[in-house]
Amino acid sequence: MAKIKEELKVEVAESAKLLIEKGLSPGRDFGDTSLRDKESGLIYILPRPSIHQPICDWNQVGPDDVSVINIHGENVGDPKVLPTVEAPMHLRIYQERTDVYSIVHSHGEWSSVFAGARQSIPAVTLDALETIGVEEIKCAEYARIATKELGDNVVKALGTKSKAALMANHGAVCVGISLDEAFLVAHLLEKVSMQVIFGHLIGKPITITWEDFGDAPTYEDMVPQEQ
Ligand SMILES: [Zn+2]
């Protein structure tokens, strides 16, 4: 049996507060986070409130409230601590994307405009293109919460490269190699969502493509060289 690491439970518990601080959980208990331990493969994930765990605000989450499951969804930690209802979606992402070690499922204000309209978001700035990794952040087909179908749809929208996808009429999913990166992606997703909405007010937002972006500049490109 793999060792359960207290420090990873602390990290996930702290990330619950970040969801609220960063405006990604307007109901204070919307959305959820998880991380995958690079050594054991175990997944540390926010809980599903229950009679044993009456949590109604993510600010109340402590390390003992964090659920630990394996890649098949079996609870390997405290049996009374159940994983979030969106655990099937988190699992589908970890199963398909071996490059992903953290997930932030948000209900952000600006990205929710696109989720509500079931519209994808074009990357209109360099930082969105570079950080999220695609020219278009896709909106997954609608599926009910807590279903494997929702996970399947999100996996399809993420594809092999994207670090973000929208969930139709629901919210967004951002991924990364760490919770820091997944939160950075979530921040950029809100920023690009706002940029596209305001872009429509002043004209037509223009997608920046990888062709526009070109190759990353080298040191020699940036620093004048002595002749
Ligand atoms: Zn949600």
Side-chain angles (χ1 to χ4, degrees), residues 31 86 105 107 170:
E86 295 300 5
H105 160 43
H107 287 204
H170 183 162

Side-chain angles (χ1 to χ4, degrees), residues 20-224:
I20 298 173
E21 271 178 42
K22 292 179 179 291
L24 301 170
S25 181
R28 300 174 77 82
D29 61 347
F30 294 162
D32 36 59
T33 61
S34 68
L35 65 75
R36 165 161 55 185
D37 180 13
K38 291 186 175 73
E39 287 176 359
S40 68
L42 292 181
I43 294 155
Y44 294 68
I45 188 164
L46 284 178
R48 172 192 325 177
S50 69
I51 193 163
H52 301 294
Q53 249 184 322
I55 297 168
C56 56
D57 183 332
W58 282 147
N59 279 316
Q60 300 169 351
V61 174
D64 291 342
D65 297 315
V66 173
S67 174
V68 187
I69 57 178
N70 65 21
I71 194 68
H72 309 295
E74 294 158 341
N75 192 342
V76 298
D78 183 341
K80 291 206 268 313
V81 181
L82 304 175
T84 166
V85 293
E86 295 300 5
M89 177 183 71
H90 288 245
L91 287 169
R92 285 293 295 121
I93 295 169
Y94 287 125
Q95 287 161 0
E96 291 295 321
R97 288 279 300 264
T98 52
D99 60 318
V100 168
Y101 287 92
S102 286
I103 296 172
V104 170
H105 160 43
S106 63
H107 287 204
E109 291 178 8
W110 293 101
S111 57
S112 291
V113 175
F114 289 89
R118 299 191 184 182
Q119 276 187 28
S120 299
I121 305 170
V124 293
T125 56
L126 285 171
D127 46 6
L129 184 74
E130 270 196 291
T131 305
I132 301 176
V134 284
E135 295 171 1
E136 181 186 67
I137 300 130
K138 292 198 172 143
C139 183
E141 281 185 36
Y142 181 80
R144 291 184 178 172
I145 63 166
T147 60
K148 180 176 169 292
E149 185 189 3
L150 178 59
D152 290 340
N153 294 351
V154 167
V155 161
K156 195 171 163 198
L158 281 171
T160 56
K161 290 197 175 67
S162 184
K163 292 188 177 165
L166 299 170
M167 302 155 72
N169 302 103
H170 183 162
V173 174
C174 299
V175 303
I177 55 167
S178 62
L179 277 170
D180 278 351
E181 187 186 19
F183 272 104
L184 174 66
V185 171
H187 171 72
L188 261 296
L189 180 65
E190 294 310 306
K191 192 173 160 191
V192 72
S193 300
M194 185 183 71
Q195 288 163 344
V196 172
I197 291 165
F198 278 91
H200 280 293
L201 293 179
I202 61 167
K204 187 172 183 304
I206 309 293
T207 304
I208 177 166
T209 65
W210 287 113
E211 192 180 348
D212 293 333
F213 185 76
D215 298 324
T218 64
Y219 179 77
E220 286 72 23
D221 291 333
M222 293 185 284
V223 178

